[in-house]
Amino acid sequence: MTEREKEFLNKLIATFKVEAEEHLKLITAGLLELEKRPADDRQLVEDIFREAHSLKGAARAVSMAEIETLCQSLENVFAAWKQRALSPSAELFDLLYRSLDTLRRLLATPEGEPSGESLNLSGLLRDLDSASKGTASRNPLPVEDPKAEPERRPAVIERAPAEMHSSPADTVRISTGKLDAVLLKAEELLSAKLAAGQHAADLSEVNAALTAWKAEWAKIQPLAGALRRSLEKNGERRALANGQLAKIIDFLDWNQRAFTDLESKLSSLLRAAEQDHRAVGAMVDDLLSDTKKLLMLPFSSILDPLPGLVRGLARDQGKEIDLEIEGAELEVDRRILEEMKDPLIHLVRNSADHGVEKPLEREQKGKPRRGTIKIAIAQKDSNRAEIVVSDDGRGIDLAKVRASALKLGLIAPAEAQSLGEAEVLALVFRSGVSTSPLITDISGRGLGLAIVREKAEKLSGAVAIESRPGFGTSFRVAVPLTMATFRGVPVRVNGNIFVLPSAQVERAARVEKRNIKTVENKETAEIDGEAVSLVHLADVLELPRKSPNEDSNGSAQVVVTGLGGKRIAFIVDEILGEQEVLVKSLGRQLSRVRNIAGATVLATRKLVPVLNVSDLVASAAATSAVASAPAEAASDKARKTRVLVVEDSITARSLLKSILEAAGYDVQTAVDGIDAFTQLRSAEFDVVVSDVEMPRMNGFDLTAKIRADKKLAELPVILVTALESREDKEKGIDVGANAYIVKSSFDQSNLLEVIKRLA
């Protein structure tokens, strides 16, 4: 094959993968719709059948045999379903979703490389098709009685559902890379717009200076005229014709004419500059707006995995959950959607895992058996969108949040009870805070909500939380619709200029220095009737403060920021107004610089940093905090953490011991629960890592025995086991385990992270 043919084939495969994703998306949407309906919808089955058929044909065209084979098996099943030779069942839907996931994995490989999973699925689907025809070659999946009422499964409801087929008219495929390049070039034109505005402003300043000059000249001109008349009257004109005084008077006459001419030209230049600024500004704004629209995608493009996620979590945990989606048609910058995909998954998973109760518990509370998770997306203003993820579950237990924050040392014991409800709720966004009694592969680490806040703030957005115990929880995430430009507040600190995003600045204010008070070694001032902490921005940025003789007036300029329910006022030397700015990243070499989000070029062509408000708030807390640690705490840290590994397999025991010792832990081992409990009574340990299935005493019984012992009751226990069913995890919770790690998804960094958190 020639290079030209290879290049053509690569382009063809790339086009196929885009088309295949669309087919899979429509098949998934159709299955979710079928799953929530109590009766068959033959038209919908027909539509899904056609999508599978089209995907099979496209795969054949690019020689993707593995994908073609699996699609053929799917097509046969949908054909049998359409002919009512096959009835839907929970097992059937599970198998179909597994097949779609496998197809996606095949698409992600370089050339759709074969896999054992796809071959196995193809065989299962063939057997299912054969069973529908009465010619099964091996044990097929169970097929439900067509007359029986189908089991209702977790559903997804979209208030404005998309059609299975959309018209391709007036559309063209183009790579997002090319569109990104065009947008970046269009964004650069913003600098030209800002520069044109600055030039017009500079000319306006010159014109103002000329006007002031004209006013002063108007005072002198009569004196020059009087002097000329006086000389002529005394007959001294001829004598002074060649003298210096005559030259000065002649220059003043010329100066008047030159001044008038200069004034006229400057006025023309100013008018032209203002017209150019308006014209360039309008063209740049229109170009940016139109270019942004090219990269705008509906929110629905990132919501596709969520129904399947909710369905899987509901099935695994024995829950019944409906997912409702509103406003999915709202279009947002693709780059913002990419950043928000993971936070949305975290929020939905949090609602399904922690929020919605099990059916029996809901019935006991007088709620419907089926819980509801709702995603509502709406445009709030010209460039802001709000995403609300809510559930009708149990709400957030504030006492557990306080306890978790106390254990992590995020708040002091004296502070815990004085915190208001909003302040306690804000703690759930701190890394490590979790209300889950058990750490699993899904939840319990306290990282999900911290990631949500970090992502939102990275986009110059914000996140808020509302919760009513027993009634549910709502998360409100505000993000911009586009991220090319934003409004910024330039401030001056010790001669340097920095920009703060306007979206995270509540207000600018002037505080009288006599009203600044010191409380517990922290400066505070009353702003809008509330005591707000004051922090010098220079201190946070590790810059020298302005010297006292340079700052002798009786007030200080402050910029008030609000983040996570906490307000901080940063003292600056000067606030330079507000302007539109184009933020640029610092490049891969400086991908994460504390307190700095990026850089921008001001209208004056000056390159200045854009500050990261989230980092500033954290740095401000660190700057004002007084480091104080008890001597015994220091000695505890100096001692190695002692871990007891309980495992009957010598291979697994040696592996765990090696991993933990390499991480710096002092490790002892036990061969079963009885051996472990004996060692626990005779020596001191910081954490227990135990298998579950062991002779004499298993891990569940060992955990229960530890919890029943007064001296050992608070000892953290981590269960590492091959048992991964919902019932086993629930038993782990019941006996009091702190973490439950499944061996099939074992990752040593995962284990080390859990031990670090619990020990």
Side-chain angles (χ1 to χ4, degrees), residues 135-182:
T135 58
S137 59
R138 55 181 178 176
N139 294 330
L141 290 174
V143 180
E144 292 185 353
D145 181 357
K147 297 179 181 179
E149 183 179 350
E151 177 187 4
R152 191 177 178 196
R153 306 308 304 165
V156 58
I157 302 170
E158 288 201 33
R159 298 297 171 85
E163 296 295 327
M164 282 294 293
H165 295 283
S166 59
S167 171
D170 300 325
T171 62
V172 63
R173 293 180 190 267
I174 185 169
S175 77
T176 54
K178 292 180 181 178
L179 290 178
D180 285 340
V182 172

Side-chain angles (χ1 to χ4, degrees), residues 221-374:
Q221 189 177 6
L223 297 178
L227 180 59
R228 181 185 295 281
R229 287 191 297 274
S230 175
L231 292 175
E232 289 176 347
K233 184 178 180 181
N234 294 329
E236 299 178 9
R237 174 67 176 170
R238 183 175 298 172
L240 296 172
N242 295 320
Q244 293 181 346
L245 188 57
K247 290 182 179 179
I248 292 173
I249 294 173
D250 289 341
F251 172 77
L252 292 176
D253 291 339
W254 175 86
N255 188 73
Q256 172 64 29
R257 293 190 299 273
F259 183 89
T260 302
D261 186 46
L262 180 62
E263 184 181 32
S264 175
K265 289 181 178 180
L266 186 59
S267 296
S268 297
L269 282 174
L270 179 57
R271 285 194 299 273
E274 290 174 341
Q275 289 173 358
D276 288 346
H277 177 227
R278 286 192 294 270
V280 170
M283 285 190 291
V284 170
D285 289 343
D286 289 344
L287 179 60
L288 269 176
S289 176
D290 292 342
T291 310
K292 288 174 191 174
K293 289 176 183 176
L294 294 176
L295 287 174
M296 301 283 270
L297 293 174
F299 252 102
S300 58
S301 62
I302 64 167
L303 300 179
D304 292 336
L306 299 183
L309 173 69
V310 172
R311 178 186 183 277
L313 286 173
R315 289 205 53 162
D316 290 345
Q317 300 185 19
K319 298 179 179 179
E320 297 178 9
I321 306 175
D322 288 334
L323 176 64
E324 297 183 3
I325 299 174
E326 288 183 4
E329 69 280 0
L330 180 66
E331 292 190 337
V332 181
D333 191 315
R334 180 179 60 83
R335 295 167 294 180
I336 292 175
L337 289 178
E338 289 173 355
E339 292 289 341
M340 287 307 301
K341 185 174 181 179
D342 285 344
L344 275 176
I345 289 175
H346 283 300
L347 290 176
V348 170
R349 187 164 55 194
N350 190 76
S351 293
D353 194 33
H354 298 318
V356 178
E357 311 95 330
K358 293 183 178 179
L360 182 60
E361 183 181 346
R362 291 180 65 85
E363 287 181 338
Q364 291 171 348
K365 294 178 179 179
K367 295 182 178 182
R369 283 179 59 87
R370 301 184 67 80
T372 300
I373 298 174
K374 183 176 180 180

Side-chain angles (χ1 to χ4, degrees), residues 415 419-430 453 457 461-466 476 504 506 530-533 560-569 613-614 617:
E415 182 186 6
L419 293 177
E421 181 179 322
E423 294 171 308
V424 175
L425 282 175
L427 290 172
V428 301
F429 295 109
R430 301 288 293 274
R453 186 179 71 172
E457 292 170 357
V463 59
I465 183 173
E466 301 167 9
R476 296 180 179 274
Q504 294 170 328
E506 286 190 3
E530 178 186 350
V532 178
S533 296
V560 184
T561 64
L563 206 61
K566 187 173 184 180
R567 301 176 81 202
I568 292 183
V613 175
S614 176
V617 171

Side-chain angles (χ1 to χ4, degrees), residues 148 169 183 334 359 384:
L183 178 59
R334 180 179 60 83
R384 305 291 289 178

Side-chain angles (χ1 to χ4, degrees), residues 34-86:
L34 277 174
E35 199 173 10
K36 72 180 183 184
R37 297 188 180 184
D40 261 351
D41 185 326
R42 296 189 68 181
Q43 182 56 51
L44 190 51
V45 176
E46 171 71 20
D47 291 339
I48 299 172
F49 170 79
R50 290 177 179 273
E51 293 296 333
H53 179 76
S54 298
L55 179 54
K56 181 188 72 173
R60 183 187 298 121
V62 292
S63 301
M64 293 281 193
E66 196 75 10
I67 295 176
E68 180 188 352
T69 301
L70 188 50
C71 287
Q72 178 65 62
S73 300
L74 284 171
E75 187 181 337
N76 292 339
V77 169
F78 290 131
W81 193 344
K82 185 176 62 171
Q83 296 164 5
R84 299 190 182 277
L86 184 67

Side-chain angles (χ1 to χ4, degrees), residues 438-481:
L438 186 70
I439 298 175
T440 68
D441 53 334
I442 295 175
S443 63
R445 291 175 176 79
L447 297 176
L449 295 181
I451 291 172
V452 171
R453 186 179 71 172
E454 181 181 320
K455 290 284 188 180
E457 292 170 357
K458 179 182 177 182
L459 295 170
S460 298
V463 59
I465 183 173
E466 301 167 9
S467 183
R468 294 176 61 201
F471 293 93
T473 303
S474 295
F475 291 92
R476 296 180 179 274
V477 184
V479 294
L481 292 174

